[in-house]
Each structure stands twice: as structure tokens, then as C-alpha cells.
Amino acid sequence: SEGEKDSVTNIRATGEFVANYVSADMARLMNATSVDAPSGVSEFDYAGLETEKSMLVAPPRVAGILAALECRMTQIFRLTDLDGKPAGATMVVGQVVGVYIDERAIRNGRFDPRITRPVTRMGYRDFGGPDGYFEMIRPVWGGQSSTGT
């Protein structure tokens, strides 16, 4: 649909997606994928990320990630404001069909956030991480990778 991000267009086409777990060591790379690149440009390539094959869905997961949820889409809808006007965002809902967890993330048989050091998006430029709140400014498309190539 018009104005949709490539990820939503791809989910509509395939019915599948992967939610990659973002740990503190991946935060800069995750932010690089938020670049306002033109349609058809790979944000993975821009950020310098590599991929690896998922177990049960066609889209790959980020290589080296500590955990990922493999999902099949159940609903996609555009968010609206109180007057029913488009709010400029699309929500994708999916069912988890596969879970990948790297053995490094397991302690005493459980996924351990003290090891994985999660990062969460708070909104605007704000994030929460294992060392507290921090800001990251979204990159602006300039036609070259985030690594300068």
C-alpha cells in the first residue's frame, strides 16, 4: 500500500516475518536499520548486517543475534486517530511459530536478560538499556552504507 514501509509490504506479500531480539551490543546496528532509505534498498545491507536462515519461515534472522521470534502474520491494519483518520502507522500482528535462542543466552536452563542485556525503544529518540536511558538519532538517507561504503 502507498506510504508503507518495505517491511510491511514484504509481510503482506509473504505472510511471514522475524522479530529479532536487540541486545545492547546490537543497538547501534538496529538504529542504522531505521534509515529512511528509498523503497527497494536493503536496510540490512545499509547497516552492515548479515543474515542467517530461519528455521520455519522464509525471512532470515539477523546473524549473531541472541534470540528471534519467527512469526506468521495474522492481521495488518492502519492505525487511526480518534476521528478515524489515518495516524500514519501500520500495525502488524503475528503468531509465533518458531523461537531461536542462542545457547550463550541461557543460564540455568532459562533465557537470562542479565546476559542478553535488552534494549527497548521508548519513543522519539529514547531507548532503555542495561545501563539506563540513552538517545540515538535515526540516520538520514545519504545513499551510502552506515559503515561509509
Side-chain angles (χ1 to χ4, degrees):
S1 274
E2 184 180 329
E4 280 185 346
K5 294 181 178 269
D6 286 350
S7 56
V8 174
T9 301
N10 292 338
I11 293 167
R12 278 190 197 284
T14 67
E16 299 179 331
F17 62 98
V18 176
N20 293 283
Y21 183 89
V22 179
S23 54
D25 63 332
M26 299 292 279
R28 184 187 61 76
L29 296 170
M30 176 271 310
N31 190 54
T33 67
S34 72
V35 68
D36 58 337
S39 181
V41 171
S42 168
E43 286 84 357
F44 272 43
D45 290 346
Y46 172 83
L49 289 168
E50 295 182 19
T51 62
E52 53 193 21
K53 189 170 175 30
S54 294
M55 299 175 295
L56 298 174
V57 298
R61 68 175 173 261
V62 173
I65 207 90
L66 292 173
L69 301 176
E70 299 180 12
C71 303
R72 293 213 171 99
M73 182 268 299
T74 59
Q75 297 176 5
I76 298 179
F77 52 95
R78 288 195 179 250
L79 301 181
T80 60
D81 65 17
L82 292 174
D83 298 322
K85 295 177 184 166
T90 302
M91 178 179 280
V92 175
V93 180
Q95 181 173 333
V96 176
V97 297
V99 177
Y100 166 78
I101 300 176
D102 188 299
E103 289 295 322
R104 295 175 296 159
I106 305 292
R107 179 182 291 156
N108 299 323
R110 298 186 68 175
F111 187 78
D112 190 336
R114 290 171 298 190
I115 295 170
T116 60
R117 301 173 44 84
V119 169
T120 58
R121 177 122 191 260
M122 308 300 287
Y124 192 53
R125 296 189 262 191
D126 302 326
F127 294 81
D131 301 318
Y133 296 105
F134 62 98
E135 282 190 353
M136 285 193 291
I137 297 172
R138 291 179 71 171
V140 176
W141 179 249
Q144 64 180 14
S145 76
S146 68
T147 58
T149 58

